[in-house]
Amino acid sequence: MNFVLCKFIFLILILPCLCFSAESKSSGHKLLLLDANALFGWGSSKIATDSSIPSIGSFNLGLNAGVNIKKFSLGASYDYRILTQYSSIDPTVGNRRGNLITPLSVFVRLNFEKIRFGLSLVTSGTYEMTDKTSTGQSLSYLNPSGFRFEIILKKFPRATPMFFYETIGFSTKSVDGVQTTLSDKLTYSSFGVGAKYEF
């Protein structure tokens, strides 16, 4: 799914909010969804042929917008992740610390009184390595596909704790802008805790 198609889906999901008030006067049910999240995770960034598996810590800031339809929420999100490698650096693998940006992901949530379940589909983004290659070239990974599953606890009026698991595979490598298809995907996986703040 390319970026233009993602933007089209986002507009379709948000358009109804422009036609209705943000809150239904009769039921107090919010039609417009807007929240931000901060996540702390632990995981790995690996290729099947790696001689060792780098351990990765992550810090994620995200913004989500959409609409509420009865017990469901539909929308799109933007996420910026800072990834840090905590395991020893294997020279044959390299340092996998970097920045991972997913500019537009589509999500759906199932809402109950005490708990919510969310699923985001990741179809766009770039995983850019902080360190250059041994030959001084910039390295990044493109064409992601994956998901994030969330369990959101509705305990406080606006700020709510949450748990998550995500896994994203990248099928293309870019070295100084020259792209090649990977025979084995680079897979980033992470799980952890965080908090979501509703506006």
Side-chain angles (χ1 to χ4, degrees), residues 15-199:
L15 189 58
C17 300
L18 303 177
C19 303
F20 299 98
S21 61
E23 186 170 333
S24 172
K25 294 181 180 179
S26 60
S27 64
H29 178 70
K30 285 187 176 182
L31 297 175
L32 175 64
L33 178 156
L34 182 62
D35 60 47
N37 55 255
L39 307 176
F40 299 90
W42 179 268
S44 63
S45 176
K46 62 181 181 178
I47 299 175
T49 55
D50 285 344
S51 57
S52 63
I53 300 176
S55 297
I56 299 294
S58 64
F59 173 64
N60 178 315
L61 290 175
L63 184 64
N64 312 285
V67 293
N68 295 309
I69 305 171
K70 295 185 178 180
K71 286 188 176 294
F72 292 93
S73 299
L74 301 172
S77 60
Y78 170 91
D79 286 279
Y80 175 78
R81 303 167 183 82
I82 299 173
L83 307 182
T84 304
Q85 180 165 329
Y86 287 111
S87 58
S88 299
I89 298 172
D90 185 336
T92 64
V93 175
N95 193 334
R96 294 272 164 81
R97 67 172 179 162
N99 300 316
L100 171 51
I101 299 174
T102 52
L104 193 59
S105 302
V106 178
F107 70 81
V108 59
R109 294 178 190 166
L110 179 59
N111 305 314
F112 297 102
E113 184 179 354
K114 300 291 185 180
I115 193 170
R116 287 172 285 174
F117 300 97
L119 181 66
S120 300
L121 299 179
V122 178
T123 56
S124 65
T126 303
Y127 180 6
E128 183 177 352
M129 301 292 108
T130 300
D131 295 349
K132 294 185 181 297
T133 66
S134 58
T135 55
Q137 297 171 302
S138 60
L139 174 63
S140 58
Y141 294 88
L142 312 170
N143 294 331
S145 62
F147 68 91
R148 181 167 74 213
F149 177 71
E150 301 176 346
I151 299 176
I152 307 163
L153 306 177
K154 298 177 69 175
K155 188 174 181 181
F156 303 105
R158 288 188 180 272
T160 57
M162 60 182 290
F163 304 92
F164 77 94
Y165 170 77
E166 67 180 353
T167 180
I168 305 171
F170 296 84
S171 60
T172 302
K173 179 171 72 172
S174 175
V175 179
D176 273 355
V178 179
Q179 299 183 14
T180 56
T181 301
L182 295 171
S183 55
D184 294 300
K185 288 185 177 182
L186 180 143
T187 301
Y188 161 74
S189 299
S190 181
F191 65 93
V193 299
K196 191 176 294 291
Y197 182 83
E198 300 178 2
F199 297 98

